[in-house]
Amino acid sequence: MTAHSRATPFPDHGFLDALTRCAARDRYASINEISAHDGHRERCLISAAGWTLDSSRNLLSSDSLETLLAYAEASGVLEEREALFDGRSLNHTENRAVLHTLLRTVVPEPALVEDHQHVDQTLSRMAQWVERVHTGDHTGHTGGRITDIINIGIGGSDLGPRMVVEALTPFHRTDVRVHFCANIDPADLDRLLRAASPASTLFVVCSKTLSTEETLFNAQRARQWLLDGGVPERKLQQHFLAVSSNLEAAAALGIPADNVLPMWDWVGGRFSLWSAIGWSIAFAVGMAGFRELLAGAAEMDGHFRRAPAAENMPLRLSLQEIWYVNFMQAQVQAVIPYHQHLMHLPAFLQQLSMESNGKCVNHLGDPLGYATAPVLWGDIGTNGQHSFHQLLHQGTVLCPIDFVLFTASDQPAQAEGKRRLLANGISQARALMLGRSYAESRQSLRARGFSAEDSDALAPHLVIPGNRPCNTLVADRLTPATLGALLALYEHKTFCSGRLWQINSFDQYGVELGKSMGAEIYAALSEEGQEFDPASNDVIERSRG
Ligand code: F6P
């Protein structure tokens, strides 16, 4: 454990010494031997909601796992999970309940019936709009069909829907194309507008607060583009929808109440793709597909809620996170999906994990003497194999990896490629564990015709240490349901880690300072006078030419 002075110690529930001893031993153990240990793999295989987690290839022996599970029991984390489902004010710094699970619940808790009715009503309104656009009942201002939908939003109002829409590409309807614009850099919207036509484009402005600079700026630019493209002001409403918990702000943007769907304070931005913020998902795959996504997530919710600690997939992932971060000083974690359409999954998970658990005080506001969320990163396989996998195999960083793999292919024409993709994913996980010894390296060089002398010199560079930890998460196919379950799995992992670290996973005050400084600097870019630090002043000066 890394301890900072006068800071709150790790909430170990009496298990610090035992866990520290276990970690000191496992750090130098052989993953291959751990995984071959009697009964170990069985303890590390969990199936739920279409997914199987195999966590047997980690620097975590059966003994240590038992100790971690005992620590989890003592922490009460599983008792606390009920707070996610019964609407307690978990986000105490903002005095808000955390109820994103209600968005995918079929039968709500009695106390939540009223909120659930609002969710149902919103889903019905969402469905009506989706139907009207898909059938051509709702048209652009000239009476022609809507062919392009542009989601304007950022953070949770972009990353989730963008990732899901891309992930479900094979399920897309052919009558509309869905696009995403997040960045305040005009290049982002311009790239989309170049290929769109005002008469057939519908913008969905997504912002929980409707006070986000990027989103308001882009929405204004979109409005101007429509006006410049011949849409009369009185018909602009045919081209704008909005989702927000700030209905007045939507009205101020000129978007009529009928075109606005609500979201609620009890849904955090990074947990909001299940709400009307996921409207663009429903436009892309239809309402039935959106409901399948919710159902898949609900299935994982049920697993999380009912499974005991040892068989609880989200909790097991979280315990591993605590293990590596707090007992092995790992500061990074990679997620590598072997699926082209999961290209945005790492970015989505970055916000989920790092905005939730990137905190340095506990829920009481006391500074922490232990590490919290690691840097989460990743990219799709096989692409990463030809760039950063070098570091994973031979670098000096301890980086536990989640490999996300699929065993089947829906399209016969893709079967061969999917087999190759899967073979790559399986072999990367295996190579990371086994590595290649000096003797094997030397022998392979000799077999390739190198002289004995050259083989001796080159062999150390070919040695791959191995013993690098990873999980595999395997499903047969990427469908709306398995995707929903995967995302709920990571949501619940994030929740468990936050509770074990005793932090508030549901606020994000860290993003505010930079935002407020941005307004002052923006003013200084056009008006001389205000002074900042020398490095900032220098760039401001240069921008003035
Ligand atoms: O700046 C961070 C943040 O508040 C995220 O938490 C949120 O997902 C994003 O901005 C967008 O916020 P909004 O949906 O209110 O525009």
Side-chain angles (χ1 to χ4, degrees):
M1 300 263 334
T2 316
H4 306 272
S5 56
R6 287 197 307 283
T8 311
F10 179 69
D12 63 89
H13 309 284
F15 284 84
L16 184 61
D17 289 347
L19 288 170
T20 306
R21 272 197 308 277
C22 289
R25 186 194 56 208
D26 287 2
R27 183 74 187 85
Y28 300 100
S30 150
I31 293 180
N32 200 14
E33 283 169 22
I34 288 178
S35 66
H37 197 265
D38 239 13
H40 183 73
R41 245 197 106 233
E42 290 66 29
R43 276 191 283 276
C44 290
L45 277 181
I46 302 178
S47 294
W51 288 93
T52 297
L53 166 68
D54 183 339
S55 60
S56 61
R57 288 179 287 191
N58 277 286
L59 293 163
L60 180 62
S61 63
S62 285
D63 283 358
S64 305
L65 177 58
E66 291 309 317
T67 313
L68 259 184
L69 287 168
Y71 147 77
E73 294 283 0
S75 74
V77 60
L78 282 189
E79 284 74 62
E80 292 183 33
R81 74 192 144 169
E82 273 311 300
L84 263 190
F85 298 91
D86 65 16
R88 259 171 277 166
S89 180
L90 277 180
N91 181 359
H92 66 284
T93 56
E94 295 180 307
N95 196 21
R96 289 177 185 168
V98 174
L99 268 177
H100 48 274
T101 55
L102 188 68
L103 299 165
R104 54 224 191 192
T105 296
V106 180
V107 183
E109 298 290 319
L112 300 174
V113 167
E114 202 180 316
D115 287 320
H116 193 256
Q117 276 166 1
H118 293 146
V119 172
D120 262 352
Q121 283 157 9
T122 304
L123 281 171
S124 302
R125 287 187 59 208
M126 213 170 143
Q128 282 161 14
W129 271 99
V130 169
E131 174 81 7
R132 290 178 61 205
V133 168
H134 285 163
T135 55
D137 196 21
H138 175 84
T139 65
H141 75 105
T142 58
R145 285 182 79 105
I146 297 293
T147 57
D148 291 88
I149 291 175
I150 300 182
N151 187 93
I152 296 180
I154 198 162
S157 299
D158 166 72
L159 289 163
R162 183 193 292 260
M163 178 268 299
V164 173
V165 167
E166 178 65 33
L168 298 181
T169 299
F171 299 85
H172 283 190
R173 296 184 53 105
T174 48
D175 34 19
V176 283
R177 292 175 293 265
V178 175
H179 318 270
F180 291 86
C181 165
N183 203 336
I184 199 164
D185 184 339
D188 195 13
L189 186 58
D190 288 351
R191 132 197 98 87
L192 299 176
L193 298 185
R194 267 197 297 276
S197 147
S200 58
T201 299
L202 177 65
F203 292 95
V204 186
V205 182
C206 283
S207 174
K208 181 174 171 183
T209 56
L210 259 186
S211 63
T212 304
E213 183 189 9
E214 292 90 337
T215 301
L216 293 178
F217 180 74
N218 282 322
Q220 290 299 353
R221 290 194 71 229
R223 187 174 191 277
Q224 197 54 51
W225 177 76
L226 291 171
L227 291 171
D228 293 348
V231 181
E233 190 150 4
R234 71 194 148 76
K235 293 201 168 180
L236 275 179
Q237 53 181 270
Q238 283 175 247
H239 296 269
F240 267 110
L241 303 176
V243 184
S244 183
S245 60
N246 186 347
L247 301 182
E248 295 80 43
L253 267 181
I255 307 178
D258 277 353
N259 295 28
V260 182
L261 290 182
M263 75 175 284
W264 305 275
D265 271 355
W266 41 263
V267 185
R270 51 197 173 273
F271 301 91
S272 64
L273 72 91
W274 322 102
S275 72
I277 292 286
W279 216 348
S280 49
I281 301 172
F283 280 121
V285 300
M287 208 57 200
F290 187 70
R291 287 186 190 275
E292 277 174 45
L293 181 83
L294 299 183
E299 204 178 333
M300 186 57 79
D301 292 344
H303 163 79
F304 177 53
R305 218 170 164 182
R306 284 185 286 276
E311 292 151 34
N312 197 300
M313 205 187 282
L315 178 66
R316 289 284 293 269
L317 286 182
S318 162
L319 288 174
Q320 274 188 22
E321 180 166 59
I322 302 292
W323 179 245
Y324 285 118
V325 167
N326 299 110
F327 293 92
M328 295 206 177
Q329 287 73 48
Q331 294 183 329
V332 287
Q333 144 90 72
V335 178
I336 307 184
Y338 275 68
H339 198 298
Q340 177 64 26
H341 294 309
L342 285 178
M343 64 167 82
H344 300 310
L345 180 67
F348 167 78
L349 294 178
Q350 272 175 346
Q351 189 198 17
L352 177 63
S353 169
M354 293 162 75
E355 198 175 62
S356 298
N357 288 342
K359 307 284 164 68
C360 60
V361 297
N362 69 9
H363 60 297
L364 300 172
D366 300 326
L368 301 179
Y370 49 92
T372 55
V375 173
L376 191 151
W377 64 286
D379 195 3
I380 45 171
T382 59
N383 301 13
Q385 290 174 205
H386 300 274
S387 66
F388 57 78
H389 279 232
Q390 165 61 34
L391 177 147
L392 298 178
H393 288 289
Q394 287 190 314
T396 53
V397 176
L398 173 59
C399 179
I401 303 162
D402 288 350
F403 285 103
V404 181
L405 307 175
F406 298 89
T407 52
S409 163
D410 287 326
Q411 299 176 40
Q414 290 190 349
E416 168 57 14
K418 291 285 189 185
R419 236 186 332 270
R420 286 172 185 261
L421 178 70
L422 178 63
N424 272 275
I426 296 170
S427 60
Q428 287 297 312
R430 181 172 154 76
L432 283 162
M433 175 175 78
L434 295 179
R436 181 169 55 199
S437 67
Y438 176 85
E440 288 165 338
S441 303
R442 190 178 182 285
Q443 198 182 5
S444 85
L445 287 164
R446 291 292 285 144
R448 281 154 62 189
F450 283 79
S451 69
E453 197 186 339
D454 286 350
S455 299
D456 286 346
L458 205 48
H461 300 278
L462 271 65
V463 170
I464 297 186
N467 222 31
R468 309 268 155 127
C470 74
N471 293 322
T472 52
L473 269 163
V474 184
D476 57 354
R477 293 177 167 77
L478 184 60
T479 63
T482 56
L483 180 63
L486 180 71
L487 305 180
L489 167 66
Y490 279 106
E491 283 183 354
H492 296 320
K493 171 198 171 182
T494 303
F495 167 80
C496 290
S497 294
R499 300 315 278 181
L500 291 166
W501 284 320
Q502 297 195 345
I503 57 182
N504 180 356
S505 301
F506 300 102
D507 60 14
Q508 57 283 318
Y509 290 106
V511 299
E512 284 175 10
L513 178 62
K515 278 192 205 172
S516 60
M517 283 185 178
E520 290 172 4
I521 303 267
Y522 171 69
L525 288 176
S526 41
E527 274 168 38
E528 286 192 35
Q530 244 190 310
E531 289 288 311
F532 303 92
D533 62 284
S536 301
N537 289 339
D538 186 48
V539 186
I540 292 168
E541 276 305 311
R542 284 163 189 259
S543 84
R544 292 200 189 115

